[in-house]
Amino acid sequence: MTEAESVTNQGVTGKPAGGLDIARIREDFPILAREVYGKPLVYLDNAATSQKPRQLIEALVRYYESYNANIHRAVHCLGEEATAAYEEARAKVARFINAPSPECIVFTRNTTEAINLVAYTWGRANIGPDSGVLLTLLEHHSNIVPWQRLTAEKGASLRYIGLTEQQTLELDGLENLMDSRTRLLSVTQVSNALGTINPVQELAAEAHRNGTMVLVDGAQSVPHMPVDVQAMDCDFFAFSAHKMLGPTGVGVLYARPELLQEMEPFLGGGEMIKRVTQEDAIWNDVPWKFEAGTPNIADVIGFGVAIDYLSDLGMENVRAHEMEISEYALRRLRQMEEVIIYGPPDPADRGGVISFNYPDLHPHDIGTVLDRYGVAVRAGHHCAQPLMHHLDVSGTVRASFYVYNTLEEVDVLVDALGQAHAFFSNDTK
Ligand code: PMP
């Protein structure tokens, strides 16, 4: 393992905890220096994927240039270095979400695969015709479709917690939705489409009182706020590296250790076995039982470096910065004529995601004009079509912030939005 991979909390900002030096942080992200159509890039599509710091890019190059090898089986020096760095990244992930041990951390390709792993293994063994799965209207398709497939296959029921007028979860009457048949509550901690923060700790307590297991989709929470899976008391927790300064192709499934022990493997092959005969096989220990084949070694190691970077900034500081940006953006957007803003009004109840629309304009048209001003936002259904249906819209425009965004970039967004609105208003007259 190289020095950079093994050292945490090395001092990225040069500032004491409590305030982030955003100008200094921006220097770590080479892509932020580029222009789009001759305008400085204003990257506000962080809920889709974040940008990557130089430290991560350099760690990937270092891996391929100096210790690229397959892991776990090698008897040579390179293999041992790669194995140590890969397993050290697992330990960093465990510490980052306060998992009780690295053995509770399974590396997958992304959040989607982590949720599918639970559906295929725990779900197949525990959901039957008399069972139910409970979701919410705020879920991403990756926390809907696996459960639709499983419940259809098993003849089980599938229900959804609805929304209040402020687009928070409607928890009045929860007892009617979560009954003795409900085996699993699967809920996102933060909505990728509206930014709503859900009370997952309270929901987990309520579910456990009912004998219901809890999966939390942390794809939009872990990158942006402190997360403690033990305090939350969830049974499963899933998230993706690429939304938290890490590379694409790496996801995480955390599960309570006893669950991983009893669950059947997901994929079969090399790495996930201890011994294979002509007839059968004995599974490897957890978590390797769930990591069949050669894993994404370089990117897992890179993910460890991204976690170091975030840990060094301090997740409380990351959250405070995003709240400041969201508060300002909400204030500015509310001053604009006609803009419809979705999600809870109080920035304390939402992550750094703001979804909005103009009454008569298609979100794609807005997004396309914003792009011409260098502003990258997302426009569409955000992989949350049941939610869009509930809101009675085809989609929304979504600006989502991260640690390198500035108040000045919010101003650029608002100005560009004004131009877009004026352009289309004239066009339709
Ligand atoms: N859940 C939520 C809340 C998300 O925002 C996303 C990504 N947009 C996912 C799940 C799926 O993540 P991935 O595509 O990395 O599997």
Side-chain angles (χ1 to χ4, degrees), residues 47 110-112 140 142 188 192 217 219-220 240 242-243:
N110 45 39
T111 306
T112 305
H140 187 280
S142 68
T188 191
N192 68 305
D217 174 350
Q220 297 293 344
S240 297
H242 69 93
K243 294 180 195 283

Side-chain angles (χ1 to χ4, degrees), residues 7 34 58 75 78 82 103 142 148 151 173 201 226 246 259 279 314 409:
V7 174
R34 73 160 282 181
E58 285 169 359
V75 291
L78 265 52
E103 285 73 41
S142 68
Q148 288 177 335
T151 51
Q201 193 164 337
L259 286 169
E279 291 75 35
E409 288 183 313

Side-chain angles (χ1 to χ4, degrees), residues 272-399:
M272 52 75 71
I273 46 81
K274 266 194 178 138
R275 194 158 47 79
V276 182
T277 64
Q278 285 195 18
E279 291 75 35
D280 54 22
I282 296 177
W283 311 142
N284 204 343
D285 296 329
V286 295
W288 305 283
K289 179 171 96 176
F290 297 101
E291 293 179 8
T294 301
N296 191 347
I297 304 164
D299 292 319
V300 164
I301 294 170
F303 183 28
V305 173
I307 286 181
D308 288 345
Y309 192 97
L310 285 172
S311 304
D312 195 42
L313 297 182
M315 292 310 292
E316 295 283 1
N317 296 330
V318 172
R319 169 72 179 140
H321 175 67
E322 285 181 32
M323 267 181 73
E324 187 189 347
I325 300 256
S326 305
E327 199 163 13
Y328 180 66
L330 280 171
R331 191 147 33 90
R332 296 269 349 242
L333 288 171
R334 281 182 189 133
Q335 287 162 354
M336 300 191 75
E337 263 176 64
E338 293 189 46
V339 174
I340 303 164
I341 303 172
Y342 303 95
D346 187 344
D349 298 332
R350 55 197 300 156
V353 169
I354 301 183
S355 245
F356 56 91
N357 263 329
Y358 279 103
D360 301 319
L361 297 181
H362 197 284
H364 280 156
D365 291 337
I366 302 283
T368 307
V369 175
L370 291 183
D371 181 46
R372 288 279 155 178
Y373 288 88
V375 181
V377 294
R378 185 134 299 227
H381 55 63
H382 316 300
C383 293
Q385 284 180 339
L387 172 63
M388 297 297 128
H389 183 74
H390 171 84
L391 298 175
D392 198 20
V393 294
S394 65
T396 69
V397 185
R398 180 186 73 185

Side-chain angles (χ1 to χ4, degrees), residues 5 78-79 95 123 144 153 180 204 227 238 253 278 330 408 411:
E5 271 84 61
L78 265 52
R95 283 196 293 274
I144 297 176
E153 179 188 317
S180 59
V227 163
L253 173 68
Q278 285 195 18
L330 280 171
E408 290 74 29
D411 292 336

